[in-house]
């Protein structure tokens, strides 16, 4: 577990900025002749810094400069970028002094640093000598928790790397849970940075990143909501994020591309991610009051997107609303938008059913989803390549672009049958983009997107290609977790296939490699993948009144995990032997029921299943159980 045991943390090491030579933390000397020193907190942190220092000599007006960075690459007197003003750097904060004596500097609350691992101290102004006596940090994230280790979920396997990856995802989710008064200010200040933006209601809210943007982005929540549920269990932050998005819905029903104060607009895909996120929140929480209170706005959102259907094609036309996650080539009939529309219709129907809606929209939306599914497969499937085209425009122009996002979502959202040859073709096609450090995204060439790769690993698992999913998790997320230049504790927004951190350097980030967020919730897909698919435990109706257990082994010998809902605790554990046999234990709250979908050693053979010692024979192993716990 990466979460600290206390809300007050201290550095793990201090080194000379020029030589890299380490010093004792207890008392560190710094003179104007030095370049500076830097402190390493050992992992991603964020909050308000307090520095106690003594000035032993000074010739006049001087200052102790303080700069921050998440990655080792930008250790120095200038902080990495977070403000969103690409024309300048974030610079540093300064603790001024003019005489000898003891001083205590407390970072202003509005300038708390949301995410960093390294802090550089240096002297400016008059020639001076100081001694740093103490450095501490009050963590600002997960503001409603006194115990940062009070996770409602857990995961463990015989693979220590996967265990660490799961917990780095959980910790990333924590660092993205902020007090709503500490979002990034926008427009950005003329110098330095400000984190006093009002970003939503309540006392805690789910955002995109610790350092930046510290803003609600619904696309990011497409990954982060499930990861939060399975790990920390913090769905209060999710609810507040959804509430702010609906509160600024446009009159025509369009939901925002981002929350305040940025207030970006004109994205059909993020509009639909908000709607899908609404379903996920209600599924995990069982909070029908929320959707009941929001239903009129939800219907307006659905009407807005339904009106964009091109009846001549049977596909969504997103012209005018093409803002997306940062990819290139967002054509009018973008394939990923079709997949999201399908999922929106399916999940909308479920919400209507849970509400007891009597207007018939649930059946109407299901019928629309069926027609859309057919149109997608007819107009966008390329049999030769075994993948979906990027769009009708892309197909007609023979671009040969078969995007990672649309194809991964096609399997994950059920636009293609997971057991079909088509799903296997997509899984195979996706592996053609793999590099030694992750999956290059064809729609964002030269870059690895952990956001879209989060859907890819789940698509491989959904298609029964467990080993591919495990390999990609180890290759991509394992690479960053072991990268000595990163935080070694959280999940990065993205990176280049050459191993540098310049994500989107040529796609909106103006060649500022230090702007990349190194703790980004949209990258936390392995949390969901390892719990929901590898352990195999998921819920299938409100708050887990029904659930499913469908483990995936791959090359693992053991995995276990669990989570908590308002109904109680759920857990499962399995151990696989080399002969193809395995033992599975589970526990669920009394009064709930589940379906076990158990893999066999060879699907062409009959095999024996024993439930609590009672054996059955069969060619399939879909077993309905209402017992709170059993051994299989």
């Amino acid at each position: 577990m990466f979460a600290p045991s206390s809300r007050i943390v201290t550095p793990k090491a201090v080194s000379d900025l020029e030589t890299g030579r380490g010093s004792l933390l207890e008392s560190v000397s710094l003179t104007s002749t030095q370049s500076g020193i830097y402190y390493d907190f050992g992992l991603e942190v964020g909050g308000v810094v307090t520095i106690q220092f003594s000035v032993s000599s000074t010739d006049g007006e001087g200052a102790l400069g303080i700069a921050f960075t998440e990655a080792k690459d930008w250790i120095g007197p200038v902080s990495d970028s977070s403000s969103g003003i690409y024309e300048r750097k974030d610079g540093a904060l300064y603790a001024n002094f003019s005489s000898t004596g003891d001083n205590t500097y407390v970072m202003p609350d509005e300038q708390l640093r949301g995410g960093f691992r390294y802090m550089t101290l240096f002297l400016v102004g008059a020639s001076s000598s100081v001694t740093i006596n103490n450095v501490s940090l009050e963590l600002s994230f997960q503001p409603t928790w006194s115990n940062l280790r009070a996770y409602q979920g857990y995961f463990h396997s015989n693979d220590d790397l996967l265990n660490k990856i799961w917990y780095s995802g959980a910790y990333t989710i924590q660092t993205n849970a902020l007090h709503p008064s500490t979002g990034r200010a926008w427009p950005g200040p003329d110098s330095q940075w400000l984190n006093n933006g009002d970003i939503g209601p309540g006392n805690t809210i789910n955002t995109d990143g610790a350092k930046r943007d510290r803003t609600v982005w619904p696309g990011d929540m497409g990954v982060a909501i499930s990861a939060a549920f399975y790990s920390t269990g913090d769905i209060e932050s999710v609810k507040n994020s959804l509430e702010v998005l609906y509160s600024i819905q446009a009159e025509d029903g369009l939901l925002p591309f981002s929350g305040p104060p940025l207030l970006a607009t004109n994205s059909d895909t993020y509009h639909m991610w908000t709607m899908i996120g609404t379903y996920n929140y209600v599924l995990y929480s069982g909070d029908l009051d929320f959707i009941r209170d929001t239903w009129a706005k939800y219907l307006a959102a659905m009407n807005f997107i339904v009106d964009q259907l091109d009846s001549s094609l049977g596909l969504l036309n997103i012209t005018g609303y093409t803002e997306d996650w940062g990819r290139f080539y967002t054509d009018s009939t973008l394939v990923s938008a079709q997949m999201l529309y399908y999922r929106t219709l399916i999940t909308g129907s479920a919400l209507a059913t849970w509400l007891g809606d009597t207007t018939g929209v649930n059946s109407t939306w299901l019928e629309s989803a069926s027609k859309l599914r057919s149109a997608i497969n007819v107009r966008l499937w390329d049999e030769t390549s075994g993948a979906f085209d990027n769009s009708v425009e892309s197909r007609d122009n023979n671009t040969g672009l078969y995007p990672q996002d649309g194809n991964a979502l096609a399997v994950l959202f059920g636009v293609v049958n997971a057991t079909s040859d088509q799903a296997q073709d997509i899984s195979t096609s996706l592996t053609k983009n793999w590099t030694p450090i992750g999956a290059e995204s064809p729609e964002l060439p030269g870059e690895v997107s952990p956001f879209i790769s989060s859907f890819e690993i789940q698509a491989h698992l959904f298609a029964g290609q467990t080993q591919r999913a495990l390999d990609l998790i180890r290759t991509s997320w394992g690479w960053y977790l072991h990268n000595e230049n990163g935080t070694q504790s959280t999940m990065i927004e993205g990176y280049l296939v050459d191993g540098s951190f310049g994500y989107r350097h040529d796609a909106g980030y103006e060649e500022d490699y230090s702007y990349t967020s190194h703790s980004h919730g949209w990258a936390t897909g392995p949390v969901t993948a390892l719990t929901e698919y590898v352990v195999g435990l998921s819920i299938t109706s409100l708050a887990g009144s029904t659930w499913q257990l469908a483990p995936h082994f791959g090359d693992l010998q053991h995995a276990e995990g669990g989570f908590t809902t308002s109904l109680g605790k759920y857990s499962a554990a399995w151990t696989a032997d080399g002969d193809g046999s395995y033992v599975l234990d589970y526990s669920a709250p009394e009064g709930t029921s589940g379906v076990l979908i158990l893999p066999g050693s060879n699907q062409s053979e009959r095999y024996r299943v024993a439930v609590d010692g009672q054996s059955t024979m069969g060619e399939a192993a879909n077993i309905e159980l209402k017992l709170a716990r059993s051994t299989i």
Side-chain angles (χ1 to χ4, degrees):
M1 182 177 288
F2 294 97
S5 59
S6 169
R7 295 201 72 92
I8 304 297
V9 297
T10 56
K12 304 302 181 186
V14 60
S15 302
D16 184 88
L17 183 59
E18 186 171 347
T19 67
R21 186 178 301 115
S23 304
L24 294 176
L25 281 166
E26 288 75 14
S27 181
V28 185
S29 297
L30 180 61
T31 68
S32 296
T33 60
Q34 292 175 262
S35 299
I37 57 176
Y38 68 91
Y39 287 87
D40 179 4
F41 283 78
L43 77 171
E44 177 89 358
V45 293
V48 175
V49 171
T50 298
I51 303 171
Q52 295 175 331
F53 65 100
S54 300
V55 181
S56 56
S57 67
T58 182
D59 291 342
E61 299 286 338
L64 179 67
I66 312 159
F68 303 90
T69 178
E70 291 182 301
K72 186 180 290 186
D73 307 54
W74 294 282
I75 292 174
V78 178
S79 299
D80 59 6
S81 295
S82 72
S83 70
I85 309 299
Y86 302 113
E87 295 78 16
R88 64 167 180 80
K89 301 297 184 182
D90 276 18
L93 301 178
Y94 294 94
N96 298 311
F97 57 83
S98 58
S99 61
T100 59
D102 295 334
N103 296 266
T104 298
Y105 171 81
V106 180
M107 172 188 283
D109 287 348
E110 66 270 18
Q111 289 188 300
L112 68 84
R113 194 67 178 181
F116 68 96
R117 174 177 171 175
Y118 302 98
M119 180 180 74
T120 299
L121 302 184
F122 57 98
L123 291 172
V124 296
S127 179
S128 307
S129 296
V130 305
T131 299
I132 310 301
N133 299 315
N134 187 64
V135 172
S136 63
L137 173 75
E138 182 180 3
L139 298 171
S140 60
F141 55 79
Q142 201 78 74
T144 60
W145 286 26
S146 59
N147 178 6
L148 292 173
R149 293 181 170 179
Y151 290 5
Q152 301 300 294
Y154 74 98
F155 172 82
H156 184 75
S157 74
N158 63 290
D159 185 327
D160 189 51
L161 175 59
L162 293 179
N163 301 337
K164 290 178 179 177
I165 289 172
W166 192 94
Y167 280 98
S168 74
Y171 187 52
T172 299
I173 291 293
Q174 283 193 286
T175 68
N176 293 182
L178 315 179
H179 191 279
S181 66
T182 64
R184 185 178 72 176
W186 192 259
D190 293 334
S191 63
Q192 299 175 326
W193 63 91
L194 283 175
N195 284 321
N196 61 352
D198 185 358
I199 57 175
N203 294 311
T204 182
I205 195 165
N206 177 270
T207 67
D208 63 327
K211 180 184 75 170
R212 53 136 284 265
D213 295 334
R214 298 178 68 82
T215 301
V216 176
W217 286 93
D220 305 49
M221 293 168 66
V223 173
I225 292 176
S226 296
F229 168 70
Y230 286 122
S231 60
T232 64
D234 176 20
I235 53 177
E236 176 189 1
S237 295
V238 170
K239 179 181 181 180
N240 290 332
S241 296
L242 290 169
E243 284 190 347
V244 75
L245 294 171
Y246 281 107
S247 74
I248 53 177
Q249 184 179 29
E251 289 186 5
D252 62 1
L254 177 63
L255 291 162
F257 185 28
S258 78
L262 190 59
L263 296 173
T265 59
N266 297 328
S267 172
D268 272 346
T269 55
Y270 276 44
H271 171 98
M272 291 184 285
W273 274 124
T274 297
M275 300 177 73
I276 294 167
T278 302
Y279 165 84
N280 287 332
Y281 166 72
V282 174
L283 170 67
Y284 296 141
S285 66
D287 186 358
L288 287 178
D289 287 340
F290 173 81
I291 188 58
R292 191 174 290 114
D293 293 343
T294 311
W295 191 238
K297 293 182 177 181
Y298 184 92
L299 288 174
M302 184 67 85
N303 289 336
F304 175 86
I305 204 71
V306 167
D307 286 346
Q308 294 177 55
L309 186 73
D310 183 338
S311 58
S312 67
L313 295 173
L315 299 174
L316 201 65
N317 185 320
I318 65 171
T319 299
Y321 306 98
T322 57
E323 294 291 339
D324 205 357
W325 59 269
R327 78 193 309 278
F328 292 133
Y329 321 117
T330 50
D331 300 322
S332 296
T333 57
L334 186 68
V335 66
S336 56
Q338 314 306 324
M339 307 306 173
L340 287 168
Y341 184 33
Y342 179 81
R343 183 63 176 168
T344 300
L345 291 166
I346 294 294
T347 54
S349 176
L351 286 170
T353 299
W354 291 339
L355 276 178
D357 183 273
T358 58
T359 66
V361 293
N362 54 348
S363 58
T364 298
W365 293 341
L366 284 178
E367 182 180 351
S368 296
S370 178
K371 292 178 180 178
L372 175 65
R373 189 176 191 259
S374 297
I376 293 171
N377 280 282
V378 168
R379 297 190 178 278
L380 293 171
W381 177 251
D382 185 329
E383 185 69 35
T384 302
S385 298
F388 285 100
D389 278 297
N390 187 60
S391 62
V392 172
E393 298 90 332
S394 178
R395 181 203 63 194
D396 290 346
N397 291 318
N398 296 313
T399 64
L401 177 59
Y402 306 102
Q404 182 188 20
D405 56 5
N407 280 283
L409 292 175
V411 179
L412 182 59
F413 288 166
V415 174
V416 302
N417 191 315
T419 60
S420 67
D421 290 342
Q422 194 176 12
Q424 300 307 310
D425 288 343
I426 290 174
S427 177
T428 300
S429 176
L430 287 168
T431 65
K432 297 176 183 177
N433 302 318
W434 288 10
T435 77
I437 60 171
E440 180 179 4
S441 179
E443 60 269 40
L444 191 59
E447 313 218 11
V448 175
S449 169
F451 175 47
I452 304 304
S453 292
S454 288
F455 303 125
E456 178 176 336
I457 56 175
Q458 293 177 71
H460 290 307
L461 287 160
F462 208 63
Q465 294 291 344
T466 306
Q467 196 56 52
R468 287 176 179 169
L470 295 176
D471 289 345
L472 185 54
I473 292 172
R474 291 167 178 145
T475 297
S476 189
W477 284 267
W479 171 82
Y480 179 73
L481 187 61
H482 284 156
N483 192 317
E484 64 179 12
N485 291 323
T487 68
Q488 297 184 302
S489 57
T490 50
M491 292 178 170
I492 190 171
E493 177 185 14
Y495 53 93
L496 303 187
V497 295
D498 66 5
S500 63
F501 295 146
Y503 177 71
R504 287 188 60 192
H505 67 102
D506 60 349
Y509 291 177
E510 303 298 328
E511 297 298 333
D512 188 350
Y513 280 39
S514 76
Y515 190 65
T516 299
S517 165
H518 287 253
S519 187
H520 224 66
W522 79 356
T524 56
V527 172
T528 300
L530 291 171
T531 298
E532 184 170 320
Y533 296 97
V534 174
V535 174
L537 188 60
S538 63
I539 66 173
T540 55
S541 63
L542 292 170
S545 57
T546 61
W547 44 269
Q548 177 176 284
L549 187 51
H552 292 71
F553 301 149
D555 59 5
L556 296 177
Q557 286 82 53
H558 175 76
E560 61 182 281
F563 50 82
T564 306
T565 79
S566 58
L567 299 180
K569 296 181 178 180
Y570 300 72
S571 64
W574 55 258
T575 301
D577 292 329
D579 62 0
S581 64
Y582 52 87
V583 176
L584 170 65
D585 293 279
Y586 76 86
S587 176
E590 294 283 354
T592 67
S593 61
V595 174
L596 307 180
I597 303 175
L598 303 178
S601 58
N602 187 323
Q603 294 297 329
S604 65
E605 297 177 354
R606 294 169 65 86
Y607 52 90
R608 183 177 300 277
V609 179
V611 180
D612 294 331
Q614 296 183 2
S615 297
T616 63
M617 291 290 292
E619 296 179 354
N622 289 16
I623 304 170
E624 294 187 16
L625 287 178
K626 295 187 178 181
L627 297 176
R629 63 188 70 240
S630 283
T631 297
I632 296 92

